[in-house]
Amino acid sequence: MLELCSDFNNDVLALLALADDEVLEWRLFDLPALPTWCSDRLALLGDAAHPLLPYAAQGGAQAIEDAVTLSVLLQKGTPPGDVPERLKLYFDARHERAEYVQQFARTQGAARPGQKEVPDDGAWHEFFKKIFSHDAWGHAEEVLKHSKS
Ligand SMILES: Cc1cc2nc3c(=O)[nH]c(=O)nc-3n(C[C@H](O)[C@H](O)[C@H](O)COP(=O)(O)OP(=O)(O)OC[C@H]3O[C@@H](n4cnc5c(N)ncnc54)[C@H](O)[C@@H]3O)c2cc1C
């Protein structure tokens, strides 16, 4: 393990050296964006729909936004026959944003100091602006309203 982390900061190496032989290597897996998250009356959400690398700390947040969106689009009283169409709306409402976050985390994870792919402060600022200004509930309501007009 210490060999694997040989280019880590010395403080981190000192901490790792204190550990017994139970230090685990936790591999990260990536997945390209899926063409859809729904099939008829079934839908994926959270990591199953859009697994995120951990470099933007957004996996849980995006899963919650999926759940909020579904709760608006499948609100009490939704006719059972409307469910497949509502699930397609859920994908339409969510996939672009989730894929944007996936790609940002991917870029950040691939980055090493000195490489030009490293998002600069401006890119992080833009990212946080998009992340924290989003109203998932309001957006889902808009998507539903447009689908009826
Ligand atoms: C170390 C770490 C730090 C993180 N930090 C952040 C953070 O700061 N901010 C953030 O937003 N996100 C963070 N995340 C990401 C976040 O935890 C995940 O994106 C989020 O938990 C995904 O939620 P989910 O419900 O989609 O999947 P999960 O939380 O993985 O839930 C899936 C559940 O299904 C269960 N399951 C699997 N197979 C079966 C089966 N066959 N039958 C029944 N049950 C089954 C699993 O046991 C699990 O309980 C972090 C993740 C990790 C690993």
Side-chain angles (χ1 to χ4, degrees):
M1 175 55 71
L2 284 177
E3 204 174 299
L4 190 72
C5 306
S6 59
D7 60 343
F8 282 25
N9 178 284
N10 281 337
D11 291 343
V12 178
L13 290 176
L15 275 177
L16 287 174
L18 295 175
D20 54 23
D21 55 3
E22 285 301 309
V23 177
L24 300 176
E25 185 189 356
W26 189 332
R27 289 177 183 244
L28 298 172
F29 297 97
D30 198 4
L31 189 73
L34 299 176
T36 182
W37 303 342
C38 324
S39 172
D40 195 28
R41 298 163 65 81
L42 284 176
L44 299 174
L45 77 156
D47 279 2
H50 42 73
L52 278 154
L53 292 172
Y55 307 107
Q58 272 294 306
Q62 292 304 307
I64 291 167
E65 289 187 15
D66 291 344
V68 166
T69 304
L70 283 169
S71 73
V72 171
L73 296 175
L74 297 176
Q75 56 200 254
K76 203 172 169 191
T78 302
D82 287 2
V83 170
E85 212 43 52
R86 295 289 177 92
L87 292 182
K88 280 187 198 151
L89 288 181
Y90 153 66
F91 178 70
D92 291 346
R94 290 289 305 142
H95 80 97
E96 221 173 276
R97 180 169 164 85
E99 283 161 26
Y100 162 74
V101 178
Q102 267 184 318
Q103 186 51 37
F104 187 88
R106 207 172 273 137
T107 311
Q108 177 64 3
R112 293 283 177 277
Q115 286 181 346
K116 60 175 191 277
E117 294 85 20
V118 178
D120 58 16
D121 286 351
W124 273 105
H125 181 73
E126 190 59 28
F127 178 70
F128 283 133
K129 216 165 76 183
K130 267 196 168 150
I131 289 306
F132 296 128
S133 66
H134 186 64
D135 171 8
W137 186 277
H139 179 61
E141 282 184 327
E142 278 299 309
V143 168
L144 183 58
K145 203 165 85 190
H146 272 97
S147 77
K148 290 175 173 169
S149 58

